[in-house]
Structures are given as C-alpha cells and as structure tokens.
Amino acid sequence: MAEEIKRMGPPKATDLKGEEFTWSIQLSAAPSREWSKLFSEPAESTVLCHPRRLGMMHQALVFKSDESHLSTWIQYVDKWIAGANRSLLEMEEPERQKKAKALAEEEERQRRIREVNEKAKNL
C-alpha cells in the first residue's frame, strides 16, 4: 500500500522575478503516479491556487506566487495533499480487505490442520 505523503516543513523561496517568488515545498516521499493524479484533481481550488499551476519534482512541489498569497497557497496545498492521501486510501481499501480475508482464511486453514493433527496423534 502507498505511503502517506506529508508536507515536510515550510515553503522555501528559491527564486524571485519581479514580485513573484518561486517556492519549493518538500514532501515526505516521492508521490506515486496514482497519488499525483488524485492530487491534480482536487475537490477545491481557485483560479489563483490550482494544482495545474505547480510542478512536482521528485519529492517537492514547486510553484510561483507573490508573498501575499503564500499562506493561501499553503492552505490549499495541505488540503490537496490530505485529499489525495484520503482518495488513495479509499481506492486501496478493497485490495486491503481482500488481503485481510485471504490471511484470515489461511490462518483458519492452518488452525484446522493443527487441530486434526492433534486428534490423530494417538492413532
């Protein structure tokens, strides 16, 4: 199952052109293709703050914004990260349930084998 992605610390300015900074946000892990797709299709965005206006580079998100809009960007980025994590978990739930059922069935099979061997040991 996929590792939950988290924002690692505050954004860091890496460039400045006019009044617009280039910001980088480090992530806890490199996002999977599925996670990236879910992240780029959020339930909530604005014209100013939209995932299509940022880039993903390995374990970082990069976007351009003036300083006055940075806190709004971070609020949205945090929502998008949480939404992608939640959606990916929901997508993986049927597979997780299938594996749990298979494990329970195997444990029951092994229990029955031990039980029958215990009954047959004095024959």
Side-chain angles (χ1 to χ4, degrees), residues 23-116:
W23 298 96
S24 177
I25 299 173
Q26 290 299 308
L27 301 175
S28 59
S32 67
R33 183 172 291 146
E34 297 84 9
W35 189 94
S36 297
K37 183 177 186 301
L38 294 166
F39 178 87
S40 69
E41 300 170 351
E44 219 181 305
S45 65
T46 68
V47 173
L48 175 68
C49 299
H50 196 284
R52 291 189 188 105
R53 295 196 63 217
L54 56 76
M56 285 194 200
M57 298 183 173
H58 304 293
Q59 283 187 227
L61 301 173
V62 179
F63 63 96
K64 295 180 187 296
S65 172
D66 60 40
E67 189 177 3
S68 65
H69 293 111
L70 182 60
S71 65
T72 303
W73 265 102
I74 298 306
Q75 288 173 1
Y76 276 98
V77 166
D78 287 345
K79 283 182 191 180
W80 301 334
I81 289 171
N85 285 333
R86 188 172 44 257
S87 294
L88 191 58
L89 189 63
E90 289 168 5
M91 286 174 53
E92 292 175 340
E93 187 58 29
E95 182 65 25
R96 195 176 356 269
Q97 288 178 359
K98 181 179 170 185
K99 286 182 178 178
K101 182 180 177 195
L103 179 61
E105 288 171 353
E106 178 59 22
E107 287 173 351
E108 175 61 14
R109 190 175 80 78
Q110 291 297 324
R111 185 195 65 75
R112 290 191 65 219
I113 289 170
R114 284 191 306 275
E115 184 179 275
V116 77

